[in-house]
Amino acid sequence: MSELGGDHRQDLLGRIDARRASIDGYLQHARPRGNRLVTTAIVSSAIAAVLTAGPALGGETFASGVADSLSLPNDSIVWRSLCFLALAVSIIAAITTNLSRSQDTANRIAAAEATNAELEGLRTLVEFGQVPVGDAARLYQQYVTKIPWIEERHAMPAAAPDLPSPYGRQGPPVAWGQPPPGWSPPGPRPPPAQDPSLPPRPDRPR
């Protein structure tokens, strides 16, 4: 296998891993949300059926018995309360059912799981060189087109290693107007040495 082909193979393996990581992240959030929507719809529908079963089967006898047991002045309170509760849970069941259908959660989860399995098999074939890189790339494109709603995650580039300073041991240049580190002002400058062959020079008046 040539060096160029090896680079293409490694790039394809990286793309497969990134796509599978995206699918895993999607499934991690979609599965619990889909289960909550389905469970809420089922429970709400069951509660609505229970609330309407008593008045539908018992009629006035049921309403009167409940009113007497709760010491209510009128059995109409029982009817209104049960109807209001049944209406509320029916609305909840309808909303959750329509949300699940509009987002097509179940079908999307099934498609993501199937694509994840296909990509896993493709990665094994590419890793062991059982399929040419060109054919594997075409299969990869064919698989990912089934899940256009899942975006690919790109791996973050590794941090650059610490490089030696281009300025050597002195460090970076100092900003204008600031002394360099470790700098101290010089002391008084000594007078220049006098040539002994010349006559002594009188001191200048201050």
Side-chain angles (χ1 to χ4, degrees):
M1 181 174 55
S2 63
E3 183 179 357
L4 182 59
D7 294 340
H8 288 332
R9 190 178 300 274
Q10 292 300 324
D11 182 57
L12 181 58
L13 289 175
R15 287 178 177 271
I16 293 175
D17 292 338
R19 181 66 67 171
R20 292 193 63 203
S22 302
I23 295 175
D24 291 337
Y26 169 78
L27 292 176
Q28 186 178 0
H29 293 84
R31 282 170 177 165
R33 187 173 186 275
N35 292 335
R36 286 194 298 268
L37 290 176
V38 173
T39 302
T40 303
I42 294 175
V43 173
S44 300
S45 300
I47 293 176
V50 170
L51 292 175
T52 56
L57 299 176
E60 294 182 1
T61 304
F62 172 80
S64 300
V66 173
D68 293 340
S69 62
L70 298 178
S71 301
L72 297 177
N74 192 350
D75 58 358
S76 62
I77 300 178
V78 178
W79 289 93
R80 289 197 298 267
S81 300
L82 292 177
C83 291
F84 176 77
L85 293 176
L87 175 63
V89 294
S90 297
I91 292 175
I92 295 175
I95 292 174
T96 53
T97 301
N98 290 329
L99 281 177
S100 180
R101 291 179 179 177
S102 63
Q103 298 177 1
D104 202 12
T105 305
N107 292 333
R108 288 191 173 188
I109 291 176
E113 292 174 344
T115 303
N116 195 18
E118 291 174 342
L119 290 176
E120 181 180 4
L122 178 62
R123 192 191 193 286
T124 303
L125 295 176
V126 174
E127 185 177 5
F128 290 97
Q130 299 299 316
V131 61
V133 179
D135 296 340
R138 284 189 290 271
L139 289 175
Y140 172 80
Q141 293 295 334
Q142 180 181 350
Y143 294 156
V144 298
T145 53
K146 301 177 183 178
I147 49 172
W149 59 88
I150 301 179
E151 298 181 356
E152 181 179 359
R153 291 183 180 179
H154 297 280
M156 296 296 295
D162 295 336
L163 299 178
S165 174
Y167 306 102
R169 295 183 179 180
Q170 296 179 357
V174 182
W176 178 262
Q178 295 182 1
W183 179 86
S184 59
R189 181 179 298 178
Q194 185 177 3
D195 190 354
S197 61
L198 298 176
R201 184 180 59 182
D203 297 337
R204 296 179 180 179
R206 295 181 179 179

